[in-house]
Amino acid sequence: MPALRFRNPAFRTLIRARVARVTRLTPHFITVTLASEEMGGFDYLGVDQAVRLFFPRRGQDGLRLPNSSGNSWIAKIYLIPAAVRPHVRNYTIRACRPDAGELDIEFVAHGDDSPASHWATHARPGDEAGLFPEGIQYLPPDPRVPQLLVADESAVPAVLSILDHAPAGLRASVFLEVPTSSDIRIFPALAGVRVHWLPRDGRGGIPGALALETVRAAALPPGEFYTFVAGESALPTGLRRHLVNDRGRPRSSVTCVGYWRHGRASLG
Ligand SMILES: Cc1cc2nc3c(=O)[nH]c(=O)nc-3n(C[C@H](O)[C@H](O)[C@H](O)COP(=O)(O)OP(=O)(O)OC[C@H]3O[C@@H](n4cnc5c(N)ncnc54)[C@H](O)[C@@H]3O)c2cc1C
């Protein structure tokens, strides 16, 4: 049987939330904490679990959400007139506290012209948002096998969350590309996990190119290993090609997730 490529929560529904707090973590990362009384039923799976985040268009008062459960929001959202239809974007749940009715999202602040980046940069306590839980794609087939985790800044929250949930004894090489040295985080050291921060610091190239180039030249674990790579689409596709074609890794040992495409806005 082929390995599972994703796992969804058992129960999924669209909930209304409000911004509780906004914290500027580093020059390019902002944590927005969202709170909802409906979070109790949230099926939190940890690791790289994401949400669809719904937020109002710029200058719009209030948030119009489709009235739906399960996946039916996808059809129903198009019944909302385009001028007041919310934006929808994918974001990782960096941390979740269902008992407190809160979750944190870490946004890359990549420019005020982009809707989600603008929303996070200007978010204030009380602002409305919608949340629909998505699934996880980080699915190592055997936790004893060493891992290679690679991300540009958009997937740094996913990899840090994966490390937060790491089993004792995890052996991993981790490559995290960030815009500047000031975006490097202090992270509790885990025995067996080696983290390489890769700041671009003004060096040109699109996000993810430095991580791809670095991993291509790196000494990787001998023998079997599982890879999770996410970020601008050229990073996951380029790294999978390299691992399969040049390092002889089976395709099934690589979870490769395109989070965004350079020069292309997300739909919605
Ligand atoms: C499963 C999943 C989880 C994700 N988790 C996170 C997360 O936790 N944090 C996070 O910040 N992002 C995350 N992303 C990526 C995020 O959804 C995209 O970056 C999204 O395009 C941002 O929306 P926007 O409205 O800011 O830009 P868009 O309107 O989609 O794009 C506008 C322009 O900005 C460019 N752009 C988009 N994202 C970036 C970026 N990060 N850096 C530079 N340019 C960019 C586009 O190429 C386009 O030219 C995730 C994506 C997926 C699929």
Side-chain angles (χ1 to χ4, degrees):
M1 202 203 301
L4 264 184
R5 304 311 287 178
F6 61 90
R7 183 153 68 84
N8 276 332
F11 175 73
R12 300 205 286 170
T13 196
L14 176 53
I15 63 171
R16 238 170 223 280
R18 284 192 184 272
V19 173
R21 291 181 296 287
V22 181
T23 312
R24 174 67 74 158
L25 282 176
T26 70
H28 293 92
F29 285 92
I30 301 167
T31 300
V32 177
T33 299
L34 291 152
S36 171
E37 286 172 5
E38 300 166 67
M39 199 87 76
F42 207 83
D43 189 6
Y44 180 51
L45 304 176
V47 291
D48 65 322
Q49 187 179 7
V51 287
R52 298 283 178 135
L53 173 76
F54 299 71
F55 55 96
R57 284 169 193 274
R58 215 177 287 193
Q60 195 183 315
D61 270 347
L63 174 69
R64 293 273 297 267
L65 284 180
N67 183 9
S68 68
S69 62
N71 265 329
S72 64
W73 68 265
I74 297 170
K76 290 195 177 156
I77 198 164
Y78 289 104
L79 302 175
I80 300 175
V84 290
R85 191 182 299 151
H87 286 297
V88 188
R89 296 287 186 270
N90 290 292
Y91 279 91
T92 304
I93 303 170
R94 176 65 183 86
C96 186
R97 297 170 294 281
D99 292 347
E102 288 187 353
L103 62 77
D104 299 334
I105 293 176
E106 279 179 19
F107 291 81
V108 176
H110 65 89
D112 247 7
D113 292 339
S114 304
S117 177
H118 176 273
W119 183 82
T121 306
H122 299 273
R124 296 282 173 270
D127 287 357
E128 286 185 296
L131 297 169
F132 182 78
E134 293 291 343
I136 60 176
Q137 299 185 73
Y138 168 81
L139 291 164
D142 180 346
R144 291 165 302 182
V145 166
Q147 297 185 12
L148 171 65
L149 309 175
V150 185
D152 74 2
E153 57 264 43
S154 67
V156 162
V159 170
L160 294 183
S161 175
I162 286 168
L163 294 178
D164 279 348
H165 292 90
L170 174 73
R171 284 173 296 148
S173 297
V174 181
F175 293 84
L176 300 175
E177 181 177 327
V178 286
T180 68
S181 304
S182 308
D183 294 305
I184 294 173
R185 313 290 176 79
I186 309 292
F187 188 76
L190 296 168
V193 176
R194 177 110 196 265
V195 180
H196 308 263
W197 289 97
L198 306 170
R200 287 191 297 281
D201 279 334
R203 165 193 167 127
I206 63 170
L210 174 60
L212 179 57
E213 182 190 316
T214 307
V215 180
R216 285 175 66 98
L220 298 179
E224 216 186 323
F225 60 92
Y226 166 77
T227 301
F228 175 88
V229 50
E232 199 286 326
S233 64
L235 168 61
T237 53
L239 186 59
R240 180 173 59 190
R241 197 175 309 121
H242 168 67
L243 292 171
V244 172
N245 295 347
D246 305 334
R247 307 250 191 176
R249 304 298 310 135
R251 267 180 97 81
S252 60
S253 70
V254 186
T255 298
C256 145
V257 196
Y259 273 13
W260 61 284
R261 290 186 75 174
H262 179 66
R264 295 240 192 126
S266 311
L267 292 175

